[in-house]
Amino acid sequence: MQIFSIPRTMPKKTVRCIILATIAAFLAACSHSVPPPLPYGPCPTPQQVEWQRMEMNMFCHFGPNTFTGLEWGNGNESEALFNPTALDCRQWVTVAQQGGMGGIIITAKHHDGFCLWPTPYSSHTVSQSPWRDGRGDVLKELRDAIDENKSQLPTLKMGIYISPWDRNAPTYGTPEYNETFRLTLEDALSRYGDIFEQWFDGANGEGPNGRKQDYDWTLFNSTVARIQPRAVIFSDVGPGCRWIGNEEGRAGETCWSTLDIEGFTPGAGSPHPDTLNQGNRPTATLYWVPAEADVSIRPGWFYHDNETPKTLQQLLEIYYNSVGRNALLLLNVPPDRRGLISSADSARVVELRQTLDSIFSTNLACHARTEASHIRGGRRCRTFRPENVLDDDYHTYWAVDDSVLSPTLTLTFDEQTVFNRVMLQEYIPLGQRVAALTVEYLSTDGTWHPLAKATTIGYKRILLTPTVTAKAIRISIDEALACPVINHVGVYLDKWLR
Ligand code: FUL
């Protein structure tokens, strides 16, 4: 078939241009005619995607407990106790930035009820303390420190922990307290600019009158949504993100970002910790409530002189068990009585970041040749080509036709490669789809060997494998709930944690 004819007299260069333009037009036509996969099941909001991409945030537990040595204050501590000698939020910000954290979440009010900002809705706040002659405001200082550092990219975000359980509030245990809590929340959320995460603890103990509170979660959540519509709300059951079910920074090996929250409430009314740990396999009636793994760098949440930070190896393990299993890591690094992060803790945070960078900044497969069993729209279609798993663009991915649920992807290295980590990422704006997979490697003698088996991927999955020397790896999706959509594959060598 002759599509068009080229006059013999035309210069060779022009002919080449016409042929290339024709090929490009053909490929573009293919790309445009093949639609991307439709979202599957419950999907994240853009804020939830942004949140998950932060990967690691810093928690700061700070308040009267820092000075009393307690973990749960009684609520009757004198405000005079709160008197940090050298508080400098700029130092917290520097530690967080050097640690590669996306944001800082501060305990604006812990269970003892003491407020780190001068709210008019409590008489147990920094205003009653001697710190800065009662004119201090920790939240404002944190916000100012973050803003001051804006030139240093990436900018940190600020989040707040406000405990509904309050062992100081006189009205705790009565309906009036819910209203006071709403006003307190509203106050904290309206003063300090954008808040990326509102952290709600599910703990519900007794107040000063020995009574427990029937929390109005609908009121609390709607207050956050009204004042900070972009904030992701954390609680045992979301709605923005969920507790991982333990305080060890450990997500389940299977970890769905979807959860059945119907009829559940934070605290005693939440699903079993194992369910929070693993999520629920997606169905249409579930919600996107991704996991957040909160853990302290020290044994306690608050700073205590006699405690020491976790080792680099422990923190690496936590990283793999959380970020590496589709959860966000919220690492608590508590300021001490001076109001500064101790040098032991800051050094460890920086060491962790440097180690992670040394492991993960170069994908050893970046020059690999990719070959897929299937490509959405066929082999000529470039939009969903397997090479996309190796580029740095978050929004490009390898996808297959809707009917293909168990494709394979082979990465052939340009030279023999030694590695012990395989990183996989699904493009979560389209939902979480993969339920089982196998990874094999091609050894130097040309034979294929099993390397790892796993269930879920989600935003990020890092498989810890034996150290192997390979010519290629093959990823077989064994089970998917809808056609897989993979936007990153990487192999790395961790020399620190074998
Ligand atoms: C728990 C609280 O009771 C702890 O004190 C701490 O704040 C931790 C992050 O959440 O539920």
Side-chain angles (χ1 to χ4, degrees):
M1 179 178 73
Q2 191 175 2
I3 303 175
F4 57 81
S5 60
I6 297 171
R8 276 170 192 277
T9 50
M10 196 175 270
K12 272 208 181 115
K13 214 168 154 193
T14 315
V15 173
R16 263 207 310 274
C17 283
I18 291 176
I19 292 172
L20 285 176
T22 312
I23 293 172
F26 178 73
L27 292 175
C30 156
S31 309
H32 286 135
S33 61
V34 182
L38 289 175
Y40 172 78
C43 288
T45 61
Q47 285 75 38
Q48 285 173 313
V49 176
E50 211 178 294
W51 172 89
Q52 187 113 36
R53 292 183 68 189
M54 293 166 83
E55 296 198 357
M56 200 163 138
N57 293 328
M58 191 163 99
F59 220 179
C60 282
H61 274 67
F62 187 59
N65 296 338
T66 313
F67 301 87
T68 58
L70 296 176
E71 275 292 314
W72 281 2
N74 297 311
N76 56 10
E77 291 80 14
S78 162
E79 293 89 16
L81 281 171
F82 185 83
N83 199 8
T85 49
L87 186 137
D88 186 356
C89 291
R90 290 170 303 185
Q91 188 246 8
W92 308 3
V93 166
T94 305
V95 173
Q97 276 180 325
Q98 291 182 350
M101 312 277 182
I104 299 183
I105 301 181
I106 168 96
T107 50
K109 173 167 94 97
H110 201 253
H111 310 326
D112 53 49
F114 186 82
C115 298
L116 295 184
W117 81 105
T119 179
Y121 302 107
S122 167
S123 54
H124 191 47
T125 77
V126 277
S127 300
Q128 287 77 39
S129 80
W131 177 62
R132 307 237 193 279
D133 294 326
R135 284 191 290 273
D137 180 343
V138 182
L139 269 55
K140 178 164 188 322
E141 292 199 18
L142 179 58
R143 165 51 69 199
D144 289 347
I146 287 174
D147 287 352
E148 220 176 273
N149 247 25
K150 259 189 179 151
S151 53
Q152 307 233 356
L153 288 174
T155 315
L156 282 180
K157 295 182 182 182
M158 176 166 160
I160 47 185
Y161 170 129
I162 303 187
S163 167
W165 182 21
D166 191 322
R167 300 175 104 179
N168 176 271
T171 58
Y172 194 84
T174 72
E176 202 187 325
Y177 174 78
N178 281 334
E179 184 53 16
T180 309
F181 186 69
R182 176 186 71 81
L183 290 166
T184 312
L185 196 56
E186 205 169 286
D187 187 42
L189 290 170
S190 15
R191 288 184 185 215
Y192 306 104
D194 282 349
I195 297 299
F196 83 96
E197 182 171 336
Q198 168 60 48
W199 218 91
F200 280 136
D201 198 282
N204 183 353
E206 290 161 1
N209 299 327
R211 284 190 296 245
K212 287 196 178 183
Q213 181 72 31
D214 192 6
Y215 297 140
D216 189 344
W217 287 111
T218 311
L219 176 68
F220 304 165
N221 287 340
S222 62
T223 303
V224 180
R226 181 164 46 81
I227 303 172
Q228 294 282 346
R230 290 175 52 82
V232 168
I233 302 177
F234 168 97
S235 85
D236 293 336
V237 290
C241 59
R242 71 172 192 268
W243 184 45
I244 198 62
N246 61 64
E247 292 181 337
E248 292 137 34
R250 185 176 29 81
E253 288 207 42
T254 294
C255 187
W256 295 103
S257 291
T258 43
L259 191 70
D260 180 5
I261 57 174
E262 219 54 69
F264 292 106
T265 55
S270 67
H272 191 278
D274 289 348
T275 306
L276 295 176
N277 199 238
Q278 301 182 12
N280 298 112
R281 207 177 154 98
T283 65
T285 56
L286 302 193
Y287 290 84
W288 188 270
V289 193
E292 178 173 276
D294 58 321
V295 59
S296 186
I297 196 165
R298 295 168 159 257
W301 290 103
F302 287 87
Y303 182 90
H304 308 297
D305 273 338
N306 55 347
E307 294 179 350
T308 48
K310 292 185 165 63
T311 62
L312 173 67
Q313 275 70 21
Q314 285 172 312
L315 291 178
L316 277 175
E317 211 165 306
I318 285 172
Y319 177 84
Y320 288 125
N321 288 344
S322 53
V323 178
R325 291 183 180 176
N326 190 33
L328 181 139
L329 172 57
L330 180 59
L331 182 64
N332 182 60
V333 188
D336 61 15
R337 262 179 253 146
R338 295 170 304 165
L340 296 173
I341 291 168
S342 77
S343 53
D345 291 16
S346 59
R348 192 51 45 80
V349 169
V350 173
E351 190 185 12
L352 174 65
R353 172 49 50 196
Q354 288 170 346
T355 309
L356 291 172
D357 285 350
S358 76
I359 301 169
F360 292 109
S361 50
T362 308
N363 181 357
L364 301 175
C366 65
H367 300 300
R369 185 164 46 80
T370 54
E371 206 183 324
S373 62
H374 302 77
I375 298 172
R376 190 174 184 82
R379 299 209 169 268
R380 281 199 303 260
C381 205
R382 294 177 64 79
T383 314
F384 308 109
R385 61 189 183 156
E387 289 93 313
N388 291 344
V389 302
L390 296 178
D391 68 21
D392 288 332
D393 185 345
Y394 182 73
H395 298 287
T396 61
Y397 47 80
W398 164 55
V400 293
D401 290 334
D402 291 346
S403 58
V404 179
L405 300 180
S406 47
T408 62
L409 175 65
T410 305
L411 271 60
T412 305
F413 308 129
D414 55 348
E415 52 187 39
Q416 289 181 12
T417 302
V418 181
F419 65 90
N420 54 15
R421 303 288 181 259
V422 177
M423 184 193 288
L424 303 166
Q425 291 189 266
E426 280 184 87
Y427 186 64
I428 56 165
L430 298 180
Q432 195 178 348
R433 299 149 172 263
V434 174
L437 65 108
T438 302
V439 182
E440 296 155 289
Y441 74 102
L442 183 64
S443 63
T444 44
D445 66 7
T447 51
W448 286 98
H449 303 271
L451 187 60
K453 267 192 172 296
T455 50
T456 50
I457 300 177
Y459 166 72
K460 185 172 272 188
R461 184 72 200 260
I462 305 173
L463 301 171
L464 278 60
T465 71
T467 304
V468 292
T469 305
K471 291 188 189 172
I473 60 164
R474 184 161 61 205
I475 296 146
S476 306
I477 306 296
D478 299 324
E479 187 190 353
L481 311 180
C483 65
V485 180
I486 307 293
N487 67 339
H488 181 76
V489 176
V491 303
Y492 306 91
L493 180 65
D494 179 348
K495 295 182 193 152
W496 286 267
L497 192 76
R498 299 257 180 172

